[in-house]
Amino acid sequence: MEKEVHISQTYPRLTVYNEENYVGRSRIYRGNLGIRNIDNILGGIESLRFFSTSSNATLVLFSRTRFRGSFRVLRGNHNLRDLDDFISGNDVESIISTNQRLTLAQIRNIRDSGVLPSGYRLI
């Protein structure tokens, strides 16, 4: 008797690398999450791949830790080979990855409060 195999994938999928150009050590995160300080992951995230099946998927990159400072919003799938100087000449320091469409008002609220919406994992 053959066994059925079910694969469960949660989106979005955020793959982070500790070197530019998607090399070095990597880690994969799934689902809605916020990374408060990218220097605490793999000794620093230098490049990433963001994938989702939803066109509403949102990747928010902040210039300071704990979702502070300037931010840049990306919708849909993205591959970023170098996070240095990515936000108006500033490096990326924290990240929100979600399958939901976050509005600018929601993102500003997160930046002002430092609190993610319910259902998000905090890393």
Side-chain angles (χ1 to χ4, degrees):
M1 177 182 206
E2 288 188 37
K3 293 183 178 179
E4 274 189 50
V5 176
H6 296 279
I7 298 173
S8 174
Q9 292 197 358
T10 303
Y11 294 105
R13 185 175 63 230
L14 178 67
T15 307
V16 297
Y17 302 85
N18 73 331
E19 294 182 31
E20 297 171 359
N21 299 313
Y22 324 112
V23 296
R25 293 182 300 143
S26 66
R27 189 170 288 165
I28 298 172
Y29 295 98
R30 298 176 191 278
N32 298 330
L33 62 91
I35 301 174
R36 309 182 258 227
N37 186 346
I38 68 169
D39 288 340
N40 293 337
I41 309 295
L42 301 172
I45 298 171
E46 295 295 330
S47 58
L48 63 81
R49 295 182 187 274
F50 179 70
F51 176 79
S52 177
T53 56
S54 171
S55 60
N56 286 326
T58 305
L59 181 67
V60 186
L61 309 169
F62 292 87
S63 64
R64 293 182 50 207
T65 60
R66 298 184 173 272
F67 320 116
R68 306 277 189 210
S70 302
F71 61 87
R72 187 160 178 191
V73 180
L74 304 173
R75 309 267 188 215
N77 300 325
H78 285 279
N79 295 320
L80 304 176
R81 65 179 57 249
D82 186 2
L83 297 180
D84 290 338
D85 303 326
F86 194 74
I87 307 166
S88 303
N90 294 305
D91 295 349
V92 174
E93 298 294 338
S94 55
I95 298 172
I96 295 174
S97 169
T98 180
N99 226 26
Q100 301 170 338
R101 182 174 189 85
L102 289 178
T103 66
L104 291 178
Q106 289 172 307
I107 295 167
R108 287 185 186 109
N109 185 46
I110 293 168
R111 181 182 60 185
D112 294 343
S113 68
V115 177
L116 295 171
S118 68
Y120 283 64
R121 284 186 303 140
L122 185 60
I123 299 172

